[in-house]
């Protein structure tokens, strides 16, 4: 089973179309969640059109019970007809909860792989994959690449990924080392910087060095997403506040667009309930008018 949001299927369209005619042998269900209204996405699209385009079966559950039932049926159809099955969801269905009735578990077993050259004769034999960073090194491009490592898949639901060190089942595993990958494809050691984006001086120094470089340069910013529950728990009683006696109302702290900072009734104020104590505003203030509470 593969699960992704609607734009993720755009990226996965190539293998989906290929497997539609090569077959899958074992069951393959592709779960794709559309996002009507753009609640957490950059666009709207109707992925139901992928089914007739790729000539694969599609199922569309409308509640929690059907989600459970349709997944089982989708796997049965996939294995019976040797084809991927698209399970199309929407944001509303994905965020819903409900009581479901469980049935008897049926063990499917592992299907034996049988080589069939005729099924794969149309697959390009010399196809190869290339990574954008490899192309940058190969072509000697003079650019700066910033990799924002927030230790989670932030935009699509805070699920784990190969860089978090935890599997989707919650088991600890070996995390992907981004720095080693960057250097392995050819970026020189002296052109790699790892910074904490909460440290403005450190970040600005790295950006300046990258700007002055004449070869590919990579900046890796490493800081866990502030919206993760564990991050929020650690910063539960941490926040910043404005010392009104020292504040000159220059509004320098507001230039970074922090949603916790506002200018009300002629005063700069920080909403303690929205502040996570990152101290970026404090670092911007030249008059020492912002203080931090908690550690």
């Amino acid at each position: 089973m593969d699960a992704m949001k609607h734009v993720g299927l755009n990226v996965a369209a190539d293998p989906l179309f290929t497997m539609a005619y090569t077959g899958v042998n074992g069951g393959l269900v592709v779960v794709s969640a559309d996002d009507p209204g753009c609640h957490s996405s950059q666009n709207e699209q109707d992925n139901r059109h992928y089914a007739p385009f790729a000539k694969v079966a599609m199922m569309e559950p409308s509640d929690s019970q059907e989600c459970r039932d349709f997944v089982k049926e989708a796997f049965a159809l996939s294995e019976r007809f040797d084809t991927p099955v698209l399970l199309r969801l929407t944001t509303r269905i994905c965020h819903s909860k409900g009581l479901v009735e469980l049935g008897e578990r049926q063990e499917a077993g592992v299907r034996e792989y049988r080589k069939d050259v005729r099924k794969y004769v149309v697959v390009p034999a010399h196809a190869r994959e290339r990574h954008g960073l490899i192309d940058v090194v190969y072509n000697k491009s003079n650019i700066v690449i910033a990799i924002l490592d927030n230790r989670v898949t932030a935009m699509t639901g805070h699920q784990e990924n190969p860089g978090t060190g935890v599997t989707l089942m919650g088991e600890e595993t070996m995390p992907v080392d981004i720095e080693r990958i960057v250097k392995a494809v050819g970026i020189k050691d002296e052109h790699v910087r790892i910074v904490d984006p909460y440290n403005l001086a450190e970040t600005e120094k790295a950006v300046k060095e990258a700007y002055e470089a004449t070869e590919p340069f990579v900046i890796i910013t490493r800081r866990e997403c502030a919206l993760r529950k564990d991050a929020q728990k650690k910063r539960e009683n941490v926040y910043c506040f404005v010392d009104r006696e020292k504040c000159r109302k220059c509004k320098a702290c507001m230039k970074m667009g922090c949603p916790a900072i506002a200018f009300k009734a002629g005063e700069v104020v920080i909403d303690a309930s929205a502040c996570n104590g990152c101290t970026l505003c404090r670092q911007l203030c030249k008059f020492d008018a912002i203080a931090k509470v908690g550690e």
Side-chain angles (χ1 to χ4, degrees):
M1 176 185 287
D2 290 322
M4 63 201 77
K5 64 191 293 183
H6 59 296
V7 289
L9 192 55
N10 296 340
V11 180
D14 189 7
L16 173 65
F17 278 65
T18 299
M19 287 185 287
Y21 57 75
T22 63
V24 295
N25 190 30
L28 174 61
V29 177
V30 179
V31 181
S32 175
D34 288 352
D35 188 19
C38 294
H39 294 285
S40 61
S41 308
Q42 64 269 51
N43 73 334
E44 290 182 302
Q45 63 188 50
D46 189 345
N47 278 5
R48 289 176 292 189
H49 294 293
Y50 267 114
F53 194 18
K55 294 181 173 57
V56 299
M58 186 199 74
M59 306 184 79
E60 188 175 10
S62 60
D63 57 31
S64 298
Q65 182 66 55
E66 288 188 353
C67 284
R68 184 264 174 199
D69 296 340
F70 285 14
V71 167
K72 183 178 179 180
E73 292 301 321
F75 273 109
L77 288 171
S78 178
E79 295 190 355
R80 179 181 177 185
F81 296 103
D82 192 24
T83 181
V85 174
L86 180 63
L87 191 72
R88 189 262 187 175
L89 307 174
T90 61
T91 305
R92 182 70 66 183
I93 297 299
C94 292
H95 289 187
S96 65
K97 296 180 180 180
L99 297 176
V100 299
E101 294 183 3
L102 301 179
E104 293 295 328
R105 181 179 177 87
Q106 297 177 352
E107 296 293 340
V110 179
R111 289 199 170 195
E112 179 184 357
Y113 172 73
R114 295 181 179 179
K115 187 175 182 180
D116 187 350
V117 179
R118 290 175 299 176
K119 288 179 65 176
Y120 300 95
V121 67
V122 294
V123 179
H126 298 289
R128 63 191 179 93
E129 296 182 359
R130 295 187 300 176
H131 191 283
L133 195 56
I134 295 176
D135 286 344
V136 166
V137 175
Y138 175 76
N139 292 303
K140 300 181 179 180
S141 304
N142 183 18
I143 65 173
V144 179
I145 297 177
I147 301 175
L148 314 182
D149 181 12
N150 59 7
R151 319 307 294 172
V152 74
T153 311
M155 186 177 181
T156 56
H158 290 178
Q159 63 268 38
E160 306 295 344
N161 62 53
T164 65
V166 180
T167 70
L168 292 176
M169 303 304 293
E171 301 173 350
E172 292 188 4
T173 185
M174 179 67 71
V176 171
D177 191 324
I178 298 176
E179 181 184 4
R180 292 179 65 181
I181 293 176
V182 167
K183 293 180 180 179
V185 300
I187 301 294
K188 297 178 181 179
D189 290 2
E190 61 267 29
H191 290 157
V192 177
R193 298 290 184 276
I194 301 177
V195 301
D196 180 355
Y198 281 3
N199 188 323
L200 282 182
E202 181 182 54
T203 303
E204 289 178 357
K205 181 175 181 292
V207 171
K208 184 176 184 297
E209 292 172 344
Y211 179 78
E212 296 174 347
T214 57
E215 296 182 27
F217 201 104
V218 173
I219 299 175
I220 303 172
T221 64
R222 184 164 294 162
R223 166 68 70 162
E224 62 183 351
C225 175
L227 297 179
R228 289 194 61 159
K229 290 183 179 180
D230 52 351
Q232 291 183 348
K233 187 175 181 179
K234 287 189 295 185
R235 293 176 169 272
E236 188 174 6
N237 298 311
V238 179
Y239 60 91
C240 293
F241 69 93
V242 177
D243 184 335
R244 295 189 177 183
E245 293 184 0
K246 295 182 179 180
C247 180
R248 303 290 184 85
K249 303 180 180 60
C250 66
K251 300 181 182 180
C253 57
M254 300 183 66
K255 292 181 180 179
M256 64 179 182
C258 176
I261 305 176
F263 193 75
K264 297 180 179 179
E267 300 285 347
V268 176
V269 294
I270 298 178
D271 183 354
S273 63
C275 175
N276 77 336
C278 72
T279 73
L280 289 175
C281 58
R282 186 180 183 184
Q283 295 174 61
L284 286 172
C285 181
K286 297 181 179 180
F287 305 103
D288 195 27
I290 298 178
K292 178 182 176 183
V293 174
E295 292 296 335

